[in-house]
Each structure stands twice: as C-alpha cells, then as structure tokens.
Amino acid sequence: MAARESGWGGAESSTSTPVATPMATPVSTRSVKWEKDVEEAAGTLDRPLLSKRCANTTSQMAVVGANTCPIESLDYEVVENEVYNQDWRSRGKLQIFQYQVLKWALALFVGLVVALVGFFSNISVENIAGFKLLLTSNLMLQDRYMVAFVVYIGCNTVLAAAAAALCAYIAPAAAGSGIPEVKAYLNGIDAHSILAPSTLLVKIFGSILGVSAGFVLGKEGPMVHTGACVASFLGQGGSRKYGLTWNWIRYFKNDLDRRDLITCGAAAGVAAAFRAPVGGVLFALEEVTSWWRSALLWRTFSTTAVVAMVLRGLISYCRGGHCGLFGKGGLIMFDLSSRQATYTATDLAVVVLLGILGGLLGALFNFFVDRLLRVYNLLNEKGPRSKIILTVTISVITSCCTFGLPWLTSCTPCPPELAKKCPTIGRSGNFKNFQCPPGHYNALASLFFNTNDDAIRNLFSAGTEREFGVSTLLTFFTTVYTLGIVTYGVAVPSGLFIPVILAGASFGRLIGSLLGSVSGLDSGLFALLGAASFLGGTMRMTVSVCVILLELTNDLHLLPLIMLVLLIAKTLADCFNKGVYEQMVRMKGLPYLEVHAEPCMRSLVAGDVVSGPLITFSSVERVGTIVETLRHTGHNGFPVIEDQPFAPAPELCGLVLRSHLLVLLQGRIFTRRCVKTGAADVFRTLAPFDFAKAGSGKGLKVEDLGLSEGDMDMYVDLHPITNRSPYTVVENMSLAKAAVLFRGLGLRHMCVVPRTQGRPPVVGILTRHDFMPQYIRGLYPNSMPR
C-alpha cells in the first residue's frame, strides 16, 4: 500500500490509479467479516456491501482556476521526534520568552500592515475613480455627451485591461476574491502560489484597478486574501538568503504557527475592509478557519483592534484634506447615523418576507454563478489573452449599462430644502446632475454614476424615501444582480460583498417603497435589511455578517431585525444549494475536508479505502534504497518498521517525513554497517533548525544531494528523525469517524494498523485524498449519489 499524501486526487502520490491490495478476499469485505465475527451469523454477510473497482478513474490533479497543478497538504501536526525534543531542550527561558513575544509582535504587526494596505487601496480607488467620474461629469456639463462616453468607456477599458494583464501574466492565483483559497489553506491545503508575494502585489494593485474600472465588484473579499498573504509573508520564519537566521525567528518555520498568523491576517482583512474588528474575528471563526482555540481568539482580536485604531487615525488625517481630491471619506463605507428603530408586528411580517425573498434570490444567484463560471473556465483555458479579452468585454458591457441606462430615466426637480446640495456637481454624493438641466437630478445616475461605496451609502441613507422611485430601484437591482453574476469569475481580483450588498440594498429599498403604506420602517433600514438577507442567501454567514452590519450602523436596536432576516434567508437558501464560497472551493478542485463526513463513509471502514503497495523503511536503512524511493515516488510520509536485529518481531517504529529524510541525507551521517548511531551523531553535524520547513518553493530536492556511488551502499539511522507517536487508527474503524478525527486534529498522515496480530505492523496510510467523495465514488460507484 503506497504511503502517499495527496490533494484532490494524488498530487502527492506516485501513481494516478491505486493498485488493489493483493489479498485473497476483496478489501471491502473486511468490515463484513468483522461484523460476522461479532454477530456469529455465518453465511448471512458473506456478500460485500459495496463492490470495489480495481482501478480508480478519479482525476489525480487539482484544478485551480484554469491551471492544473499538484496539491500538497500542510504539516499542522507536531512531529515529536528526537530533533523536536532536542530543539525544545536547547531553548532557554529567554528564548521561550522571545518566542512568545514574537508571536504577539507579528500578530500586531500584521494588523498594522493590513490597515495601511486597506487604507492605501481605498484612497487609490477614490482618487482614480473620482478623477474619472469628474472628467466625465465636466464633459457632460459642456453637453459633449459622446466625448464623455468615449472618455468614460476608454478609462474603464484601460483600467480593466491592466488589472486583467496583471492577473493573467504575473499571478493567476490573485483572480477572484481569494476567500475560497484562504479557507482551503486553513483547512490544510497548500495550493500553488495562493499566498505568494507576487499574488499579494497583484491582489493589491489589481483590486485597485478593477474597482476603479467600474466593475460591479468590491475590494472587501480581496482584502481577506491580502491579509492572509501579508501574514504568510511576515511569518516565513527567517531567511538564509538575507541572513535572517536568528533563533527567535527560526522558531516560526513551521506550518502550525503560520496557520495562526494567517488566521489573524484574514480577520485583519475584514476589519480593514469594513472597519469592523469584532466582525473580522467572527468572520475568521465562522467562515475561513477549520480549527480554533481560545489563545488564537485573543490574538486575532488584538490584531483587528490594531487595524481599527490605525484606520481611525488615518481617517482623521484625511479629513484635513491631505489625501487627494476624493480622499476625505477615508474608509467610511456605509456608516449610518444612530437612530431608534421601532417596529410592530406588521413590520416583522414584512421583514420575514424580505428574508424569504432574499434567501430565494441568493440561492438563485449562486446557481447562476456556478453555471457561468464553468463557461468562463473553458474560455480561460485558452490562455492569458482570452482572459484579458473576456475581462475587457465585460468592462465594455458594464460601462454601456452604467452610462446608458440613466438616459432612460426622467429628470427630477431637486427638493427645495436641499437646494444647496442638489444637484451634486464635482464631488461624490446623491443627486447627480448627469444630463439634467439646472435644479434637477437623475436618480439612476446617483446610483450608477458613482463608486460602489457611494452608491451603497446613497441607498442606506435615511430620510430619502422620495429620492429613488420604484422604476429606478427595479432597473438598478436588475442590472446590478445580472452584472454581479457575469463579472465574478473574470481575471481580476473581485469580491462578492459589494455586488451582493448593492443588489440587496436596492431590493430592500424597492420592497420598502412598495410596502411603505403597510410598514413604518425607514427606507434606509429596508435597504440594510435587504443587504443582510442577500448576504445570508449567498454567503450563508450569520453571526459575522450580523456583527459587521451592527458595527457599520452603530445601532444595537437593529439586532433583532438583522438576526431574523439572516436566519430566514440562510435557512431557506440552504434548501437549494451551498454557499457561494463552498461552491467555489468545490469548483476549483480544492480537497476541502468538511465538518461532517459523507453518509456513505458510515458503511465503510478505514481499511476499505487504503491502497497499495505499501512503501516502508527499516529503522536503519540503506542510503541507496532511500534515494531511489524518494526519486521515484512523490510520497511525503513513510512508515518506519523496527525489525531484527533491533526488535524480535516487526513493529511500527513511527513515521518519517520526506523533507526530514532529505536533510538527514544531505548531512551524510552514514555508517558502513547496519547499526544505530543515535541523535548525538546527528546533532554534531546538523542543528534542529536545519529540519525546519523551508519557505514556499525553497525545499531541498533529491537532485540537490549529490551523493556518490560509495554513499549509496552506506546505512543511515532513521530513529532521530522518526515521529515515534504518529496518529493511528485500527483498520476496522468507521471511515466517517476517521474523517472527523483527521480533520479535527489537522493531520496530513494517519497510519492504519491491523486489527489482529501476525500481520504487518501497518496496513496503510490515510491521507486527505482518501476522504474525498470523488475518490470514494471511484472505488465504490454505488456508495454515494453523483
């Protein structure tokens, strides 16, 4: 049985089709025979419950975007070998104190950097988009409408093409929101380049260009990915190339500490996008993480607190006019003035209706996004040029809609009490003049001819019941809903928060206009509740979205209404499909382990899905055998068997990692005879830090060893680097129970040991690949519905 570790189908396996284990009886009959032993019902359970194919036709590569690349898993498990023990024994009290201080310092520094990046992104978007809109508005005031249209669509096209070129040629992993990739990483999946420095740079500048281009997308989703990339970059644990090899930095060269720091970065991204520190913590807890503990909660909260304080200081600075022509607003997106929200039973009925409609429309939104992205993948597979052409095409369509649709709306006289503020000329805000005569405004242009943030602020504004008519809101909602679907999936960093909030706010305000005679709720409150219902219907988040909206509105009186509409929308939408991020994880082919095991796993046992042949090492192994095995396999973990003369009978000594084997071989701690050397000989040549995990793409390879023919006949002792306490399960354990254990502990390998004596000490290894529904379906076609 091959000791492999794989992603969505064997990216770390040496073969693409598992070989059936050579046994006298089919593997799937073992669980039946165990039940037969227990129940002593001879002859009643001889037939296998499920028939097993001799070959698995499941794809062995993961599809990320339009590129196929191997998927690795992360080593979240603490490898307790002699190297690890020596590492901790060598640490003094000062070094342990430095390690604890550094964990906090890095978390706080991540908050500082993410706040600066978020502020820079927002100011850049406001100035670039503001300059574009101001230039177009000035041409409109001169009645040069055709020139204004050419300038408007030309600016949008150039910005969109630049954003698409960055994603297509430099960092394809930066396209999209990035939240599915962060979810996958924190689940234990190390997909190619998802947190690379190039991805970070393209994410920042591509998001600025994409949002400034007028797409119906936001920078809030990409901010989560940006925060994770910043944390990953700062948590690399030192670098030999640049001389950053101090002991107090070395301690961070492991996936476990990086995971905690990236969790802080993801929470900081939400806090920077919405100025909602508590919402950022709950978003990380509810949506992106697969593993949590109380110490991480406190550190994440401290990170988001730094974000909130830094943003408040920067916004105060910008209000003095130091951040450009359109920079005074800072990161204020949809703050509402605090007001008392009183409601009756009739109002609650209207809110329930809003939750039902939001759940249905949210589920429909996810359905169309899923179908359209499959078409986009076919186009993206043709290369970078196709991605740019698709992005530019969507940009032209969006520009035509935002510039052309306001012409279909009649001009509205400005309210007498707002004569000084209406129409809005040369700045952001409501009451856009567009093509209207003096003293009039175009309601649809107030929504379309603005940045997305300003449009949301206009919809959320209170006391403006007569500003937007039913036809205006219906046109805007239909357009934004459609453009949000067709825009998500183009090759630019794009978030779904803004499209969903825009569609939900316009829909909620539309319902408020239609039912204004029945309900006494403010139209701005209807917009807020509509946005909440759409967020619940598409993203299926409840607690974090509720807190984010409360932090934005600064009004706890809205808590019951927001909770009610979120619960209704999520519950109803779950009846039709999964959340949009869960759909994206599945569509990208990321081997995500769900919280609950598939029902079919309860009828299978751990021994039913392991495959062979098994590759093991002796505790003192010949160097040539190890090198040949590493050269011809892609396995990342190998069982180590203690055999004669070191043990009277074969027994499982532990598990050794590929990376540790390469470091040990490079140290050339060899002997001419098959004898134990112990850890002392290892530490004369190598330090514990030498076994730490290298940065992304910088690990040691077999080709780098440079061993001679004489070295190949030598022996090496594997005891010092063998994990003596790997997690093991008995082969008759329920596969569902093993899956819950595997995910809950954040494992990469799980050894399967035999139930009876007299057999080899290890049956096989369970990896992430073995718990994937597609893999199980390939082995047992009748085990689960397609």
Side-chain angles (χ1 to χ4, degrees), residues 411-433:
C411 296
T412 306
C414 291
E417 64 274 13
L418 297 175
K420 295 183 179 180
K421 297 182 179 180
C422 178
T424 301
I425 299 176
R427 58 183 174 85
S428 61
N430 298 24
F431 309 110
K432 286 292 182 181
N433 179 260

Side-chain angles (χ1 to χ4, degrees), residues 395-473:
S395 174
V396 171
I397 295 173
T398 303
S399 300
C400 291
C401 290
T402 54
F403 191 93
L405 289 176
W407 289 88
L408 305 178
T409 303
S410 59
C411 296
T412 306
C414 291
E417 64 274 13
L418 297 175
K420 295 183 179 180
K421 297 182 179 180
C422 178
T424 301
I425 299 176
R427 58 183 174 85
S428 61
N430 298 24
F431 309 110
K432 286 292 182 181
N433 179 260
F434 204 61
Q435 90 290 6
C436 295
H440 292 71
Y441 72 93
N442 189 310
L444 201 54
S446 298
L447 299 176
F448 274 128
F449 219 62
N450 255 322
T451 61
N452 293 331
D453 294 353
D454 287 336
I456 293 175
R457 190 183 299 111
N458 294 346
L459 288 169
F460 278 15
S461 58
T464 56
E465 288 82 359
R466 294 178 295 174
E467 180 180 351
F468 304 108
V470 173
S471 60
T472 298
L473 293 171

Side-chain angles (χ1 to χ4, degrees), residues 273-276 331-337 460 501 528 545-555:
F274 295 104
R275 278 181 49 201
L331 268 157
I332 298 177
M333 286 184 51
F334 2 97
D335 281 350
L336 301 179
S337 58
F460 278 15
I501 292 176
L528 175 67
V545 168
C546 182
V547 173
I548 288 172
L549 292 177
L550 286 177
E551 289 185 281
L552 291 175
T553 58
N554 193 28
D555 193 348

Side-chain angles (χ1 to χ4, degrees), residues 69-310:
C69 65
I71 296 292
E72 301 284 337
S73 287
L74 297 165
D75 294 299
Y76 288 153
E77 178 188 359
V78 176
V79 180
E80 294 183 348
N81 52 24
E82 294 184 28
V83 171
Y84 174 83
N85 294 331
Q86 173 65 21
D87 185 20
W88 274 99
R89 284 194 297 266
S90 64
R91 301 187 189 187
K93 292 184 179 180
L94 178 60
Q95 291 175 318
I96 295 176
F97 176 75
Q98 288 175 336
Y99 170 69
Q100 296 295 336
V101 170
L102 184 63
K103 289 170 68 174
W104 281 94
L106 282 177
L108 299 179
F109 191 59
V110 165
L112 173 63
V113 174
V114 172
L116 294 175
V117 170
F119 180 77
F120 168 74
S121 299
N122 188 79
I123 296 303
S124 300
V125 168
E126 285 201 357
N127 280 278
I128 295 174
F131 177 79
K132 175 192 67 178
L133 294 173
L134 181 61
L135 179 61
T136 308
S137 297
N138 290 336
L139 293 172
M140 296 283 289
L141 292 174
Q142 301 172 17
D143 296 334
R144 301 171 63 184
Y145 302 127
M146 186 57 65
V147 177
F149 174 68
V150 172
V151 169
Y152 180 73
I153 198 172
C155 291
N156 286 344
T157 302
V158 171
L159 292 171
L166 287 175
C167 285
Y169 289 105
I170 299 178
S177 69
I179 293 179
E181 286 80 2
V182 176
K183 281 172 62 72
Y185 185 93
L186 296 179
N187 189 256
I189 302 167
D190 189 14
H192 181 67
S193 297
I194 60 175
L195 298 178
S198 59
T199 303
L200 171 62
L201 293 177
V202 173
K203 202 76 179 182
I204 296 172
F205 293 101
S207 177
I208 293 172
L209 295 172
V211 176
S212 301
F215 281 117
V216 182
L217 51 84
K219 56 187 178 298
E220 287 66 31
M223 274 304 302
V224 178
H225 195 182
T226 299
C229 290
V230 168
S232 176
F233 179 74
L234 296 177
Q236 288 297 310
S239 171
R240 291 188 179 92
K241 180 179 179 181
Y242 299 104
L244 301 176
T245 56
W246 305 302
N247 286 336
W248 54 281
I249 291 183
R250 294 174 181 179
Y251 296 149
F252 274 82
K253 298 190 75 67
N254 63 85
D255 289 329
L256 189 61
D257 286 326
R258 289 179 189 173
R259 176 181 67 178
D260 291 350
L261 198 60
I262 288 170
T263 302
C264 295
V270 176
F274 295 104
R275 278 181 49 201
V278 180
V281 175
L282 293 176
F283 177 85
L285 172 61
E286 180 182 10
E287 184 62 22
V288 297
T289 59
S290 299
W291 190 84
W292 196 266
R293 68 181 189 277
S294 58
L296 182 59
L297 177 67
W298 175 229
R299 201 178 312 145
T300 305
F301 181 72
S302 301
T303 304
T304 57
V306 170
V307 174
M309 290 186 289
V310 172

